[in-house]
Amino acid sequence: MKCAVLLCATLTSTIAAVLAHPVADYVAFKNSVDVEQIHIAQASHAGGTGMTISWLSNKTSAGAVRYGKTSGTYAKKEAAPLGEQYSFQSQYIKELYTSGYIHHAQISELEPNTKYYYVCGDDSGGWSAEHSFTTLGASIQSDAYSFAVMGDLGQTNNSAATISHIIEGGYTYSLLVGDLSYADSAWKPGKFGPCTQTRWDSWGRFVEPLTANVPLMTLPGNHEVEQDGALPATQTQFLAYSKRMRMPAAYGEASLYYSFEAAGVHFVMLNSYMDYNKSSAQYAWLQRDLASVDRSTTPWIVAAMHAPWYNSNVKHHDEVEEYGMRAAMEDVLNAHHTDLVLAGHVHAYERMYNTYNNATNASGPVYINIGDAGNREGPCPDYLAQPAWSAYRESAFGHGVLTVTNATHMRWTWHKINNPEAQIGDDVWIVKRTAASKLAAMTGEGSIAVGIGANSASQFDGSPVSQRV
């Protein structure tokens, strides 16, 4: 599916502004209307029934969303709760930052597999340009459905190329596995200059051509913690992230970790930087959440966190958030036959075989590290000796695409930003055991199957030209 002409034209001008800017970080101009930084996310636990529309305004705390199924005709209106502001004190910058009014309007009772058009704002501050999104159902779709996946995005020229690729690909859902704006004050002034909360604002404007039209499901990374130094520095962790990003929350938990279902996939979005041990609320929630999944209607489980449990890159190797969380939670994911685990943090691409307990194992999920979306710290080119569980690795910026074909087949592809979007850098099928023999016959590549387990999925390379195992 190709992107709309208007959307592509908007992004083209955005990318041109980025590339013309003399520094690595993108700076955007504010809108003339008092509505900016629009982003949408699935609102409900099950797909197809709700969407949260978020935006910022500088003048008014009132706001609403007008929406409908026909362009230019908005039969329904949903008022947002009064917009909230937050203040943040960095230990490196004397000025107190205060945000604009942050609005979150939740639209419910949407029809699945339906395109909706909307505007947001209010009469006094003005209304946004028209945007649109397409809902989907919680169950397997009749046609193959693709999710764009990225990690460690930032707001550089490389980040812009990643956003451009994703819009060009026409994907209608996207995931970002942590490290969004890189606004955190934990970075001391130095190589990258002082980081400030205004970088959240420039990032919100930067990603709007994508996020105003494509739901972006996020989780926090280390750059979202944003607590550094003693008072008077702000002491609340995840303050900006939790105010700006409104994700669904199940079982009454905060949306700093959560799950949602879409197109036959149960996505589990974990937080590497909150307590995860076996006595923690997050651990108890994970057990409840996975136990609730009906695999007859939701055959796939995909877990995501920021800090990878398996990583052969020199950078971010064996950090406590990685081996500690894996020690606490790996058995839980394995017991519930998780199919795929996504992570970021390392600014390079790496795909693992089915892995469990630090070894290739038929019962374990496939692991993929995708923290290469373009952040300003650059790629991580240095690797340790390649472990047996590491299938393919490359230090290059790009993004992934997860395509759900049916209840037994998912396809994963990796796309580098220095190639056309249609060109694939890595390609693998993730296949349930019941269908593995059929896929082997179809591709003639049965010999490269990895650990065909009784319940979890295994992987086959997608095409002879990109064999990685």
Side-chain angles (χ1 to χ4, degrees), residues 87-390:
S87 295
F88 190 96
Q89 179 64 64
S90 167
Q91 70 161 318
Y92 309 111
I93 298 171
K94 292 182 180 179
E95 293 79 8
L96 178 70
Y97 169 87
T98 299
S99 73
Y101 293 99
I102 303 171
H103 305 266
H104 303 288
Q106 182 171 323
I107 303 172
S108 60
E109 298 182 357
L110 299 174
E111 297 178 20
N113 307 113
T114 302
K115 187 169 186 176
Y116 288 89
Y117 301 85
Y118 76 93
V119 295
C120 56
D122 77 335
D123 290 336
S124 62
W127 294 90
S128 71
E130 180 181 85
H131 300 287
S132 64
F133 61 86
T134 301
T135 60
L136 73 160
S139 59
I140 293 289
Q141 304 295 283
S142 57
D143 297 320
Y145 194 90
S146 296
F147 300 84
V149 183
M150 52 188 161
D152 302 68
L153 179 60
Q155 43 190 308
T156 70
N157 295 355
N158 292 314
S159 313
T162 295
I163 296 295
S164 178
H165 272 236
I166 290 174
I167 292 181
E168 180 186 343
Y171 314 110
T172 50
Y173 253 64
S174 60
L175 281 71
L176 176 49
V177 293
D179 284 3
L180 284 65
S181 69
Y182 286 75
D184 62 312
S185 63
W187 279 105
K188 282 74 174 172
K191 178 179 179 181
F192 299 114
C195 292
T196 74
Q197 289 292 296
T198 60
R199 291 177 57 77
W200 272 111
D201 296 317
S202 60
W203 185 82
R205 300 176 196 123
F206 168 61
V207 298
E208 184 179 301
L210 173 68
T211 61
N213 301 277
V214 176
L216 177 66
M217 310 306 293
T218 66
L219 57 81
N222 54 301
H223 286 281
E224 279 69 64
V225 177
E226 294 195 292
Q227 187 282 312
D228 188 45
L231 290 170
T234 292
Q235 300 297 297
T236 304
Q237 295 186 342
F238 309 107
L239 176 62
Y241 176 87
S242 61
K243 293 294 186 181
R244 292 171 181 267
M245 312 306 294
R246 187 58 52 88
M247 298 296 117
Y251 308 111
E253 305 286 350
S255 60
L256 291 172
Y257 53 87
Y258 64 96
S259 66
F260 69 100
E261 291 182 352
V265 183
H266 184 85
F267 289 95
V268 181
M269 310 292 274
L270 297 170
N271 192 330
S272 301
Y273 302 95
M274 293 181 71
D275 194 3
Y276 45 69
N277 63 41
K278 294 183 179 180
S279 62
S280 68
Q282 185 173 196
Y283 181 90
W285 168 83
L286 178 63
Q287 288 187 309
R288 294 195 306 269
D289 181 75
L290 291 178
S292 72
V293 181
D294 182 353
R295 300 302 284 269
S296 67
T297 58
T298 310
W300 298 101
I301 293 179
V302 175
M305 72 284 295
H306 185 64
W309 293 359
Y310 293 96
N311 163 37
S312 68
N313 197 284
V314 170
K315 293 291 187 180
H316 300 304
H317 192 74
D318 283 339
E319 295 178 352
V320 64
E321 292 86 1
E322 297 166 353
Y323 66 76
M325 194 178 203
R326 180 169 73 85
M329 293 183 168
E330 185 176 25
D331 285 347
V332 179
L333 294 190
N334 222 52
H336 290 278
H337 311 300
T338 300
D339 300 292
L340 174 65
V341 178
L342 302 167
H345 201 36
V346 179
H347 305 154
Y349 174 75
E350 185 167 17
R351 171 172 57 85
M352 274 58 72
Y353 297 113
N354 297 74
T355 302
Y356 174 60
N357 196 24
N358 205 35
T360 55
N361 190 306
S363 70
V366 176
Y367 286 81
I368 294 174
N369 299 339
I370 191 71
D372 59 346
N375 72 91
R376 67 184 184 170
E377 296 169 18
C380 298
D382 299 320
Y383 290 92
L384 303 169
Q386 191 161 17
W389 40 254
S390 176

